[in-house]
Amino acid sequence: MQTPLTPQETAAFARDGAVIRRAFVPGRLVDRVRSSVDGWYRTEMDPALISSYTQRTFAPDLGNDHDVLALFHESGVADLVTSLVPEIEPVVTAQIQIRVPESDTGITQPEKAMHVDGVACPHLDASELRTFTLLVGVVLSEIADSDGGALRYVPGGHVDMAEWFRTEWSIGMTDQVPPRIDAEQGTPLLGSPGDVLLMHHLVPHAVGRNTSPTPRIMAYFRVSHAQHARQRLEALRDPWLEYPAIRTVTA
Ligand SMILES: O=C(O)CCC(=O)C(=O)O
């Protein structure tokens, strides 16, 4: 059965660029992934590679693991997504992002300043766009406060970013966001395992230190509209190009 977003959630997504469904992914799906990620964290994580995991993914071998992909495909999340973006590229990989408690390794994990994914990434060529349409985050650990490595996002920032991309930005610039966005603290994503964040690709976000004693663990899925590869620049400048349901109500 399809689980679409409600009209109220769709309106909230249009306004904020983000919507959270609490306790959405069944516990049995979350628990399987937690057990694999916890095993990797205990026995395979190389503290010397924390910067590299932070840029790419933690637990790289789990990126196309069946249980990890089930968080998207077997939980109802895919149906939430297609109620916003009906035509999508197949979702075949996931990213695991952990904010490591400083007390665990003594290593300070790099923070990520306000950015939108795939534009002027510090580790990529500035002229290369690795954009997509919708970021889906599945919470895999308790996130009780923002100092616990919570993702921080700017509600409504998608509209501001699209305006900046239209009027001030050009390809090859190394600024990730305009100064007014860089100055934002952002709203922390607090929550519990099984909560799901759907966030417009243009919503700026950041992450900082984890001073709590527990790892903050998220699985992320980057969803692209079926035509995205052919319209990356247009999608940066028109926030609803790839969201037909919202395009019709905001037109
Ligand atoms: O939640 C995280 O650890 C980071 C998410 C993020 O900003 C990213 O991967 O671009």
Side-chain angles (χ1 to χ4, degrees), residues 113-129 131 161 164-165 168-183 202 204-205 236:
M114 279 293 165
H115 66 282
V116 302
D117 290 351
V119 182
C121 301
H123 60 290
L124 295 176
D125 180 342
S127 63
E128 190 179 349
L129 292 179
T131 52
M161 287 301 296
W164 184 68
F165 283 121
E168 295 175 60
W169 174 88
S170 58
I171 199 150
M173 266 170 65
T174 52
D175 301 28
Q176 293 190 285
V177 293
R180 59 186 178 277
I181 295 283
D182 205 31
L202 286 173
H205 55 279
L236 286 177

PDB file of all heavy atoms in Angstrom, residues 113-129 131 161 164-165 168-183 202 204-205 236:
ATOM      1  N   ALA A 113      30.693  22.782   7.383  1.00  0.00           N
ATOM      2  CA  ALA A 113      30.032  24.089   7.412  1.00  0.00           C
ATOM      3  C   ALA A 113      28.751  24.015   6.579  1.00  0.00           C
ATOM      4  O   ALA A 113      28.536  23.045   5.838  1.00  0.00           O
ATOM      5  CB  ALA A 113      30.978  25.136   6.831  1.00  0.00           C
ATOM      6  N   MET A 114      27.927  25.061   6.688  1.00  0.00           N
ATOM      7  CA  MET A 114      26.690  25.097   5.903  1.00  0.00           C
ATOM      8  C   MET A 114      26.993  24.853   4.419  1.00  0.00           C
ATOM      9  O   MET A 114      27.875  25.489   3.855  1.00  0.00           O
ATOM     10  CB  MET A 114      26.005  26.457   6.047  1.00  0.00           C
ATOM     11  CG  MET A 114      25.197  26.604   7.305  1.00  0.00           C
ATOM     12  SD  MET A 114      23.759  25.497   7.289  1.00  0.00           S
ATOM     13  CE  MET A 114      23.319  25.561   9.036  1.00  0.00           C
ATOM     14  N   HIS A 115      26.235  23.939   3.814  1.00  0.00           N
ATOM     15  CA  HIS A 115      26.447  23.609   2.401  1.00  0.00           C
ATOM     16  C   HIS A 115      25.187  22.968   1.849  1.00  0.00           C
ATOM     17  O   HIS A 115      24.310  22.554   2.611  1.00  0.00           O
ATOM     18  CB  HIS A 115      27.628  22.632   2.246  1.00  0.00           C
ATOM     19  CG  HIS A 115      27.378  21.277   2.851  1.00  0.00           C
ATOM     20  ND1 HIS A 115      27.452  21.036   4.207  1.00  0.00           N
ATOM     21  CD2 HIS A 115      27.032  20.086   2.278  1.00  0.00           C
ATOM     22  CE1 HIS A 115      27.180  19.761   4.453  1.00  0.00           C
ATOM     23  NE2 HIS A 115      26.909  19.160   3.304  1.00  0.00           N
ATOM     24  N   VAL A 116      25.108  22.891   0.531  1.00  0.00           N
ATOM     25  CA  VAL A 116      24.169  21.951  -0.097  1.00  0.00           C
ATOM     26  C   VAL A 116      25.043  20.910  -0.776  1.00  0.00           C
ATOM     27  O   VAL A 116      26.099  21.243  -1.310  1.00  0.00           O
ATOM     28  CB  VAL A 116      23.166  22.615  -1.076  1.00  0.00           C
ATOM     29  CG1 VAL A 116      22.341  23.686  -0.380  1.00  0.00           C
ATOM     30  CG2 VAL A 116      23.825  23.163  -2.302  1.00  0.00           C
ATOM     31  N   ASP A 117      24.604  19.673  -0.727  1.00  0.00           N
ATOM     32  CA  ASP A 117      25.467  18.586  -1.207  1.00  0.00           C
ATOM     33  C   ASP A 117      25.777  18.741  -2.691  1.00  0.00           C
ATOM     34  O   ASP A 117      24.921  19.128  -3.497  1.00  0.00           O
ATOM     35  CB  ASP A 117      24.769  17.235  -1.004  1.00  0.00           C
ATOM     36  CG  ASP A 117      24.665  16.865   0.464  1.00  0.00           C
ATOM     37  OD1 ASP A 117      25.256  17.542   1.300  1.00  0.00           O
ATOM     38  OD2 ASP A 117      23.962  15.872   0.743  1.00  0.00           O
ATOM     39  N   GLY A 118      27.024  18.416  -3.026  1.00  0.00           N
ATOM     40  CA  GLY A 118      27.392  18.279  -4.445  1.00  0.00           C
ATOM     41  C   GLY A 118      27.714  19.582  -5.151  1.00  0.00           C
ATOM     42  O   GLY A 118      27.921  19.583  -6.364  1.00  0.00           O
ATOM     43  N   VAL A 119      27.762  20.710  -4.414  1.00  0.00           N
ATOM     44  CA  VAL A 119      28.120  21.988  -5.033  1.00  0.00           C
ATOM     45  C   VAL A 119      29.338  22.534  -4.289  1.00  0.00           C
ATOM     46  O   VAL A 119      29.292  22.713  -3.070  1.00  0.00           O
ATOM     47  CB  VAL A 119      26.972  23.021  -4.939  1.00  0.00           C
ATOM     48  CG1 VAL A 119      27.362  24.325  -5.640  1.00  0.00           C
ATOM     49  CG2 VAL A 119      25.694  22.465  -5.528  1.00  0.00           C
ATOM     50  N   ALA A 120      30.433  22.765  -5.017  1.00  0.00           N
ATOM     51  CA  ALA A 120      31.659  23.308  -4.428  1.00  0.00           C
ATOM     52  C   ALA A 120      32.111  22.503  -3.204  1.00  0.00           C
ATOM     53  O   ALA A 120      32.510  23.072  -2.192  1.00  0.00           O
ATOM     54  CB  ALA A 120      31.481  24.789  -4.062  1.00  0.00           C
ATOM     55  N   CYS A 121      32.033  21.177  -3.301  1.00  0.00           N
ATOM     56  CA  CYS A 121      32.512  20.351  -2.178  1.00  0.00           C
ATOM     57  C   CYS A 121      34.006  20.586  -2.030  1.00  0.00           C
ATOM     58  O   CYS A 121      34.730  20.564  -3.026  1.00  0.00           O
ATOM     59  CB  CYS A 121      32.305  18.866  -2.456  1.00  0.00           C
ATOM     60  SG  CYS A 121      30.613  18.445  -2.738  1.00  0.00           S
ATOM     61  N   PRO A 122      34.489  20.774  -0.804  1.00  0.00           N
ATOM     62  CA  PRO A 122      35.911  21.074  -0.629  1.00  0.00           C
ATOM     63  C   PRO A 122      36.816  19.988  -1.225  1.00  0.00           C
ATOM     64  O   PRO A 122      37.927  20.271  -1.630  1.00  0.00           O
ATOM     65  CB  PRO A 122      36.078  21.144   0.892  1.00  0.00           C
ATOM     66  CG  PRO A 122      34.710  21.333   1.441  1.00  0.00           C
ATOM     67  CD  PRO A 122      33.747  20.763   0.448  1.00  0.00           C
ATOM     68  N   HIS A 123      36.347  18.724  -1.289  1.00  0.00           N
ATOM     69  CA  HIS A 123      37.198  17.644  -1.790  1.00  0.00           C
ATOM     70  C   HIS A 123      36.980  17.356  -3.280  1.00  0.00           C
ATOM     71  O   HIS A 123      37.526  16.399  -3.807  1.00  0.00           O
ATOM     72  CB  HIS A 123      36.993  16.374  -0.956  1.00  0.00           C
ATOM     73  CG  HIS A 123      35.585  15.855  -0.961  1.00  0.00           C
ATOM     74  ND1 HIS A 123      34.568  16.508  -0.321  1.00  0.00           N
ATOM     75  CD2 HIS A 123      35.050  14.767  -1.540  1.00  0.00           C
ATOM     76  CE1 HIS A 123      33.453  15.817  -0.493  1.00  0.00           C
ATOM     77  NE2 HIS A 123      33.714  14.768  -1.226  1.00  0.00           N
ATOM     78  N   LEU A 124      36.172  18.195  -3.964  1.00  0.00           N
ATOM     79  CA  LEU A 124      35.929  17.949  -5.400  1.00  0.00           C
ATOM     80  C   LEU A 124      36.291  19.189  -6.204  1.00  0.00           C
ATOM     81  O   LEU A 124      36.423  20.282  -5.659  1.00  0.00           O
ATOM     82  CB  LEU A 124      34.446  17.638  -5.646  1.00  0.00           C
ATOM     83  CG  LEU A 124      33.878  16.366  -5.030  1.00  0.00           C
ATOM     84  CD1 LEU A 124      32.379  16.293  -5.294  1.00  0.00           C
ATOM     85  CD2 LEU A 124      34.570  15.130  -5.586  1.00  0.00           C
ATOM     86  N   ASP A 125      36.432  19.020  -7.508  1.00  0.00           N
ATOM     87  CA  ASP A 125      36.632  20.135  -8.418  1.00  0.00           C
ATOM     88  C   ASP A 125      35.390  21.040  -8.341  1.00  0.00           C
ATOM     89  O   ASP A 125      34.259  20.560  -8.442  1.00  0.00           O
ATOM     90  CB  ASP A 125      36.787  19.526  -9.825  1.00  0.00           C
ATOM     91  CG  ASP A 125      37.010  20.575 -10.887  1.00  0.00           C
ATOM     92  OD1 ASP A 125      36.710  21.749 -10.617  1.00  0.00           O
ATOM     93  OD2 ASP A 125      37.473  20.194 -11.967  1.00  0.00           O
ATOM     94  N   ALA A 126      35.626  22.355  -8.158  1.00  0.00           N
ATOM     95  CA  ALA A 126      34.487  23.277  -7.960  1.00  0.00           C
ATOM     96  C   ALA A 126      33.561  23.326  -9.169  1.00  0.00           C
ATOM     97  O   ALA A 126      32.390  23.722  -9.049  1.00  0.00           O
ATOM     98  CB  ALA A 126      35.008  24.667  -7.632  1.00  0.00           C
ATOM     99  N   SER A 127      34.054  22.929 -10.340  1.00  0.00           N
ATOM    100  CA  SER A 127      33.171  22.995 -11.511  1.00  0.00           C
ATOM    101  C   SER A 127      32.341  21.718 -11.670  1.00  0.00           C
ATOM    102  O   SER A 127      31.514  21.611 -12.574  1.00  0.00           O
ATOM    103  CB  SER A 127      33.996  23.239 -12.778  1.00  0.00           C
ATOM    104  OG  SER A 127      34.859  22.156 -12.958  1.00  0.00           O
ATOM    105  N   GLU A 128      32.571  20.769 -10.751  1.00  0.00           N
ATOM    106  CA  GLU A 128      31.845  19.501 -10.861  1.00  0.00           C
ATOM    107  C   GLU A 128      30.586  19.549  -9.991  1.00  0.00           C
ATOM    108  O   GLU A 128      30.671  19.884  -8.807  1.00  0.00           O
ATOM    109  CB  GLU A 128      32.766  18.390 -10.357  1.00  0.00           C
ATOM    110  CG  GLU A 128      32.270  17.010 -10.627  1.00  0.00           C
ATOM    111  CD  GLU A 128      33.264  15.956 -10.110  1.00  0.00           C
ATOM    112  OE1 GLU A 128      34.395  16.325  -9.739  1.00  0.00           O
ATOM    113  OE2 GLU A 128      32.877  14.797 -10.065  1.00  0.00           O
ATOM    114  N   LEU A 129      29.438  19.254 -10.561  1.00  0.00           N
ATOM    115  CA  LEU A 129      28.202  19.224  -9.778  1.00  0.00           C
ATOM    116  C   LEU A 129      27.849  17.775  -9.479  1.00  0.00           C
ATOM    117  O   LEU A 129      27.783  16.952 -10.392  1.00  0.00           O
ATOM    118  CB  LEU A 129      27.054  19.869 -10.551  1.00  0.00           C
ATOM    119  CG  LEU A 129      27.136  21.373 -10.780  1.00  0.00           C
ATOM    120  CD1 LEU A 129      25.925  21.848 -11.593  1.00  0.00           C
ATOM    121  CD2 LEU A 129      27.208  22.137  -9.452  1.00  0.00           C
ATOM    122  N   THR A 131      24.944  16.952  -7.762  1.00  0.00           N
ATOM    123  CA  THR A 131      23.662  17.281  -7.144  1.00  0.00           C
ATOM    124  C   THR A 131      22.668  16.126  -7.298  1.00  0.00           C
ATOM    125  O   THR A 131      22.917  15.161  -8.015  1.00  0.00           O
ATOM    126  CB  THR A 131      23.103  18.544  -7.810  1.00  0.00           C
ATOM    127  OG1 THR A 131      23.108  18.334  -9.224  1.00  0.00           O
ATOM    128  CG2 THR A 131      23.966  19.765  -7.494  1.00  0.00           C
ATOM    129  N   MET A 161      18.462  29.648  -1.279  1.00  0.00           N
ATOM    130  CA  MET A 161      19.563  29.090  -2.073  1.00  0.00           C
ATOM    131  C   MET A 161      19.249  29.152  -3.570  1.00  0.00           C
ATOM    132  O   MET A 161      20.121  29.475  -4.386  1.00  0.00           O
ATOM    133  CB  MET A 161      19.851  27.643  -1.648  1.00  0.00           C
ATOM    134  CG  MET A 161      20.534  27.500  -0.307  1.00  0.00           C
ATOM    135  SD  MET A 161      22.138  28.352  -0.188  1.00  0.00           S
ATOM    136  CE  MET A 161      23.097  27.462  -1.381  1.00  0.00           C
ATOM    137  N   TRP A 164      19.916  32.561  -4.735  1.00  0.00           N
ATOM    138  CA  TRP A 164      21.370  32.806  -4.820  1.00  0.00           C
ATOM    139  C   TRP A 164      21.936  32.145  -6.074  1.00  0.00           C
ATOM    140  O   TRP A 164      22.725  32.754  -6.802  1.00  0.00           O
ATOM    141  CB  TRP A 164      22.030  32.247  -3.553  1.00  0.00           C
ATOM    142  CG  TRP A 164      23.496  32.491  -3.424  1.00  0.00           C
ATOM    143  CD1 TRP A 164      24.118  33.694  -3.224  1.00  0.00           C
ATOM    144  CD2 TRP A 164      24.540  31.508  -3.447  1.00  0.00           C
ATOM    145  NE1 TRP A 164      25.484  33.515  -3.122  1.00  0.00           N
ATOM    146  CE2 TRP A 164      25.771  32.183  -3.249  1.00  0.00           C
ATOM    147  CE3 TRP A 164      24.565  30.115  -3.597  1.00  0.00           C
ATOM    148  CZ2 TRP A 164      27.012  31.517  -3.212  1.00  0.00           C
ATOM    149  CZ3 TRP A 164      25.793  29.451  -3.550  1.00  0.00           C
ATOM    150  CH2 TRP A 164      26.989  30.153  -3.375  1.00  0.00           C
ATOM    151  N   PHE A 165      21.505  30.910  -6.343  1.00  0.00           N
ATOM    152  CA  PHE A 165      22.003  30.220  -7.543  1.00  0.00           C
ATOM    153  C   PHE A 165      21.571  30.951  -8.822  1.00  0.00           C
ATOM    154  O   PHE A 165      22.295  30.972  -9.810  1.00  0.00           O
ATOM    155  CB  PHE A 165      21.532  28.754  -7.582  1.00  0.00           C
ATOM    156  CG  PHE A 165      22.302  27.853  -6.650  1.00  0.00           C
ATOM    157  CD1 PHE A 165      21.663  27.140  -5.647  1.00  0.00           C
ATOM    158  CD2 PHE A 165      23.686  27.715  -6.766  1.00  0.00           C
ATOM    159  CE1 PHE A 165      22.380  26.308  -4.782  1.00  0.00           C
ATOM    160  CE2 PHE A 165      24.418  26.884  -5.908  1.00  0.00           C
ATOM    161  CZ  PHE A 165      23.755  26.184  -4.915  1.00  0.00           C
ATOM    162  N   GLU A 168      23.473  35.182  -8.050  1.00  0.00           N
ATOM    163  CA  GLU A 168      24.826  35.556  -7.609  1.00  0.00           C
ATOM    164  C   GLU A 168      25.880  34.503  -7.902  1.00  0.00           C
ATOM    165  O   GLU A 168      27.043  34.811  -8.062  1.00  0.00           O
ATOM    166  CB  GLU A 168      24.827  35.820  -6.088  1.00  0.00           C
ATOM    167  CG  GLU A 168      23.983  37.023  -5.692  1.00  0.00           C
ATOM    168  CD  GLU A 168      23.921  37.168  -4.176  1.00  0.00           C
ATOM    169  OE1 GLU A 168      24.966  37.334  -3.541  1.00  0.00           O
ATOM    170  OE2 GLU A 168      22.798  37.074  -3.640  1.00  0.00           O
ATOM    171  N   TRP A 169      25.473  33.254  -7.956  1.00  0.00           N
ATOM    172  CA  TRP A 169      26.425  32.141  -8.059  1.00  0.00           C
ATOM    173  C   TRP A 169      26.747  31.856  -9.518  1.00  0.00           C
ATOM    174  O   TRP A 169      25.939  32.102 -10.403  1.00  0.00           O
ATOM    175  CB  TRP A 169      25.778  30.919  -7.404  1.00  0.00           C
ATOM    176  CG  TRP A 169      26.541  29.635  -7.529  1.00  0.00           C
ATOM    177  CD1 TRP A 169      27.499  29.175  -6.688  1.00  0.00           C
ATOM    178  CD2 TRP A 169      26.378  28.630  -8.541  1.00  0.00           C
ATOM    179  NE1 TRP A 169      27.942  27.944  -7.116  1.00  0.00           N
ATOM    180  CE2 TRP A 169      27.275  27.593  -8.247  1.00  0.00           C
ATOM    181  CE3 TRP A 169      25.562  28.502  -9.672  1.00  0.00           C
ATOM    182  CZ2 TRP A 169      27.391  26.443  -9.027  1.00  0.00           C
ATOM    183  CZ3 TRP A 169      25.676  27.371 -10.450  1.00  0.00           C
ATOM    184  CH2 TRP A 169      26.589  26.360 -10.130  1.00  0.00           C
ATOM    185  N   SER A 170      27.963  31.368  -9.758  1.00  0.00           N
ATOM    186  CA  SER A 170      28.231  30.789 -11.081  1.00  0.00           C
ATOM    187  C   SER A 170      29.102  29.558 -10.894  1.00  0.00           C
ATOM    188  O   SER A 170      29.814  29.428  -9.869  1.00  0.00           O
ATOM    189  CB  SER A 170      28.914  31.796 -12.001  1.00  0.00           C
ATOM    190  OG  SER A 170      30.110  32.222 -11.409  1.00  0.00           O
ATOM    191  N   ILE A 171      29.057  28.687 -11.864  1.00  0.00           N
ATOM    192  CA  ILE A 171      29.756  27.405 -11.722  1.00  0.00           C
ATOM    193  C   ILE A 171      31.261  27.642 -11.585  1.00  0.00           C
ATOM    194  O   ILE A 171      31.803  28.538 -12.222  1.00  0.00           O
ATOM    195  CB  ILE A 171      29.389  26.473 -12.898  1.00  0.00           C
ATOM    196  CG1 ILE A 171      29.705  25.039 -12.535  1.00  0.00           C
ATOM    197  CG2 ILE A 171      30.055  26.870 -14.194  1.00  0.00           C
ATOM    198  CD1 ILE A 171      28.808  24.042 -13.193  1.00  0.00           C
ATOM    199  N   GLY A 172      31.895  26.902 -10.679  1.00  0.00           N
ATOM    200  CA  GLY A 172      33.329  27.077 -10.433  1.00  0.00           C
ATOM    201  C   GLY A 172      33.602  27.900  -9.179  1.00  0.00           C
ATOM    202  O   GLY A 172      34.716  27.885  -8.662  1.00  0.00           O
ATOM    203  N   MET A 173      32.571  28.626  -8.665  1.00  0.00           N
ATOM    204  CA  MET A 173      32.765  29.375  -7.419  1.00  0.00           C
ATOM    205  C   MET A 173      33.020  28.404  -6.272  1.00  0.00           C
ATOM    206  O   MET A 173      32.424  27.325  -6.229  1.00  0.00           O
ATOM    207  CB  MET A 173      31.508  30.207  -7.091  1.00  0.00           C
ATOM    208  CG  MET A 173      31.579  31.625  -7.612  1.00  0.00           C
ATOM    209  SD  MET A 173      29.994  32.497  -7.468  1.00  0.00           S
ATOM    210  CE  MET A 173      29.766  32.577  -5.705  1.00  0.00           C
ATOM    211  N   THR A 174      33.881  28.797  -5.345  1.00  0.00           N
ATOM    212  CA  THR A 174      34.170  27.867  -4.245  1.00  0.00           C
ATOM    213  C   THR A 174      33.299  28.130  -3.012  1.00  0.00           C
ATOM    214  O   THR A 174      33.265  27.303  -2.104  1.00  0.00           O
ATOM    215  CB  THR A 174      35.665  27.925  -3.845  1.00  0.00           C
ATOM    216  OG1 THR A 174      35.998  29.287  -3.612  1.00  0.00           O
ATOM    217  CG2 THR A 174      36.559  27.358  -4.940  1.00  0.00           C
ATOM    218  N   ASP A 175      32.560  29.245  -2.982  1.00  0.00           N
ATOM    219  CA  ASP A 175      31.633  29.468  -1.862  1.00  0.00           C
ATOM    220  C   ASP A 175      30.561  28.390  -1.922  1.00  0.00           C
ATOM    221  O   ASP A 175      30.003  28.142  -2.993  1.00  0.00           O
ATOM    222  CB  ASP A 175      30.902  30.810  -1.978  1.00  0.00           C
ATOM    223  CG  ASP A 175      31.850  31.982  -2.015  1.00  0.00           C
ATOM    224  OD1 ASP A 175      32.981  31.808  -2.471  1.00  0.00           O
ATOM    225  OD2 ASP A 175      31.432  33.072  -1.604  1.00  0.00           O
ATOM    226  N   GLN A 176      30.243  27.824  -0.762  1.00  0.00           N
ATOM    227  CA  GLN A 176      29.205  26.794  -0.761  1.00  0.00           C
ATOM    228  C   GLN A 176      27.814  27.383  -0.552  1.00  0.00           C
ATOM    229  O   GLN A 176      26.823  26.828  -1.030  1.00  0.00           O
ATOM    230  CB  GLN A 176      29.498  25.765   0.323  1.00  0.00           C
ATOM    231  CG  GLN A 176      30.759  24.944   0.011  1.00  0.00           C
ATOM    232  CD  GLN A 176      30.881  23.781   0.965  1.00  0.00           C
ATOM    233  OE1 GLN A 176      31.241  23.951   2.116  1.00  0.00           O
ATOM    234  NE2 GLN A 176      30.537  22.610   0.498  1.00  0.00           N
ATOM    235  N   VAL A 177      27.764  28.489   0.186  1.00  0.00           N
ATOM    236  CA  VAL A 177      26.489  29.174   0.463  1.00  0.00           C
ATOM    237  C   VAL A 177      26.796  30.665   0.588  1.00  0.00           C
ATOM    238  O   VAL A 177      27.944  31.040   0.825  1.00  0.00           O
ATOM    239  CB  VAL A 177      25.839  28.685   1.795  1.00  0.00           C
ATOM    240  CG1 VAL A 177      25.390  27.240   1.727  1.00  0.00           C
ATOM    241  CG2 VAL A 177      26.779  28.882   2.973  1.00  0.00           C
ATOM    242  N   PRO A 178      25.783  31.534   0.499  1.00  0.00           N
ATOM    243  CA  PRO A 178      26.039  32.962   0.736  1.00  0.00           C
ATOM    244  C   PRO A 178      26.295  33.223   2.226  1.00  0.00           C
ATOM    245  O   PRO A 178      25.879  32.430   3.073  1.00  0.00           O
ATOM    246  CB  PRO A 178      24.744  33.640   0.268  1.00  0.00           C
ATOM    247  CG  PRO A 178      23.707  32.595   0.294  1.00  0.00           C
ATOM    248  CD  PRO A 178      24.389  31.267   0.116  1.00  0.00           C
ATOM    249  N   PRO A 179      26.964  34.355   2.552  1.00  0.00           N
ATOM    250  CA  PRO A 179      27.304  34.632   3.960  1.00  0.00           C
ATOM    251  C   PRO A 179      26.098  34.613   4.899  1.00  0.00           C
ATOM    252  O   PRO A 179      26.200  34.156   6.034  1.00  0.00           O
ATOM    253  CB  PRO A 179      27.929  36.035   3.898  1.00  0.00           C
ATOM    254  CG  PRO A 179      28.429  36.176   2.498  1.00  0.00           C
ATOM    255  CD  PRO A 179      27.500  35.360   1.630  1.00  0.00           C
ATOM    256  N   ARG A 180      24.920  35.070   4.423  1.00  0.00           N
ATOM    257  CA  ARG A 180      23.752  35.102   5.322  1.00  0.00           C
ATOM    258  C   ARG A 180      23.346  33.685   5.753  1.00  0.00           C
ATOM    259  O   ARG A 180      22.826  33.478   6.852  1.00  0.00           O
ATOM    260  CB  ARG A 180      22.574  35.841   4.671  1.00  0.00           C
ATOM    261  CG  ARG A 180      22.092  35.238   3.368  1.00  0.00           C
ATOM    262  CD  ARG A 180      21.018  36.076   2.664  1.00  0.00           C
ATOM    263  NE  ARG A 180      20.607  35.478   1.392  1.00  0.00           N
ATOM    264  CZ  ARG A 180      21.253  35.640   0.246  1.00  0.00           C
ATOM    265  NH1 ARG A 180      22.341  36.381   0.183  1.00  0.00           N
ATOM    266  NH2 ARG A 180      20.806  35.060  -0.862  1.00  0.00           N
ATOM    267  N   ILE A 181      23.568  32.707   4.904  1.00  0.00           N
ATOM    268  CA  ILE A 181      23.252  31.314   5.266  1.00  0.00           C
ATOM    269  C   ILE A 181      24.373  30.735   6.135  1.00  0.00           C
ATOM    270  O   ILE A 181      24.126  30.017   7.101  1.00  0.00           O
ATOM    271  CB  ILE A 181      23.065  30.449   4.002  1.00  0.00           C
ATOM    272  CG1 ILE A 181      21.837  30.896   3.198  1.00  0.00           C
ATOM    273  CG2 ILE A 181      22.979  28.961   4.342  1.00  0.00           C
ATOM    274  CD1 ILE A 181      20.503  30.468   3.759  1.00  0.00           C
ATOM    275  N   ASP A 182      25.601  31.086   5.805  1.00  0.00           N
ATOM    276  CA  ASP A 182      26.746  30.590   6.570  1.00  0.00           C
ATOM    277  C   ASP A 182      26.635  30.985   8.048  1.00  0.00           C
ATOM    278  O   ASP A 182      27.111  30.276   8.935  1.00  0.00           O
ATOM    279  CB  ASP A 182      28.028  31.176   5.959  1.00  0.00           C
ATOM    280  CG  ASP A 182      29.223  30.301   6.245  1.00  0.00           C
ATOM    281  OD1 ASP A 182      29.042  29.074   6.359  1.00  0.00           O
ATOM    282  OD2 ASP A 182      30.333  30.851   6.377  1.00  0.00           O
ATOM    283  N   ALA A 183      26.000  32.132   8.289  1.00  0.00           N
ATOM    284  CA  ALA A 183      25.888  32.643   9.666  1.00  0.00           C
ATOM    285  C   ALA A 183      24.800  31.914  10.468  1.00  0.00           C
ATOM    286  O   ALA A 183      24.699  32.069  11.680  1.00  0.00           O
ATOM    287  CB  ALA A 183      25.566  34.134   9.624  1.00  0.00           C
ATOM    288  N   LEU A 202      18.182  21.473  -1.892  1.00  0.00           N
ATOM    289  CA  LEU A 202      18.674  22.851  -1.755  1.00  0.00           C
ATOM    290  C   LEU A 202      18.647  23.376  -0.316  1.00  0.00           C
ATOM    291  O   LEU A 202      19.016  24.534  -0.087  1.00  0.00           O
ATOM    292  CB  LEU A 202      17.854  23.796  -2.648  1.00  0.00           C
ATOM    293  CG  LEU A 202      18.139  23.696  -4.150  1.00  0.00           C
ATOM    294  CD1 LEU A 202      17.143  24.549  -4.944  1.00  0.00           C
ATOM    295  CD2 LEU A 202      19.561  24.142  -4.462  1.00  0.00           C
ATOM    296  N   PRO A 204      20.174  24.129   2.985  1.00  0.00           N
ATOM    297  CA  PRO A 204      21.543  24.107   3.506  1.00  0.00           C
ATOM    298  C   PRO A 204      21.589  23.423   4.868  1.00  0.00           C
ATOM    299  O   PRO A 204      20.647  23.541   5.662  1.00  0.00           O
ATOM    300  CB  PRO A 204      21.906  25.593   3.635  1.00  0.00           C
ATOM    301  CG  PRO A 204      20.694  26.374   3.313  1.00  0.00           C
ATOM    302  CD  PRO A 204      19.584  25.465   2.931  1.00  0.00           C
ATOM    303  N   HIS A 205      22.691  22.741   5.101  1.00  0.00           N
ATOM    304  CA  HIS A 205      22.831  22.000   6.361  1.00  0.00           C
ATOM    305  C   HIS A 205      24.296  21.907   6.759  1.00  0.00           C
ATOM    306  O   HIS A 205      25.179  22.152   5.937  1.00  0.00           O
ATOM    307  CB  HIS A 205      22.191  20.613   6.232  1.00  0.00           C
ATOM    308  CG  HIS A 205      22.710  19.812   5.080  1.00  0.00           C
ATOM    309  ND1 HIS A 205      22.260  19.989   3.785  1.00  0.00           N
ATOM    310  CD2 HIS A 205      23.656  18.852   5.011  1.00  0.00           C
ATOM    311  CE1 HIS A 205      22.896  19.158   2.979  1.00  0.00           C
ATOM    312  NE2 HIS A 205      23.766  18.454   3.698  1.00  0.00           N
ATOM    313  N   LEU A 236      19.073  23.674  -9.720  1.00  0.00           N
ATOM    314  CA  LEU A 236      19.615  24.538  -8.657  1.00  0.00           C
ATOM    315  C   LEU A 236      18.862  25.857  -8.598  1.00  0.00           C
ATOM    316  O   LEU A 236      18.754  26.471  -7.541  1.00  0.00           O
ATOM    317  CB  LEU A 236      21.103  24.842  -8.912  1.00  0.00           C
ATOM    318  CG  LEU A 236      22.114  23.732  -8.665  1.00  0.00           C
ATOM    319  CD1 LEU A 236      23.517  24.206  -9.032  1.00  0.00           C
ATOM    320  CD2 LEU A 236      22.083  23.289  -7.207  1.00  0.00           C
TER     321      LEU A 236
END
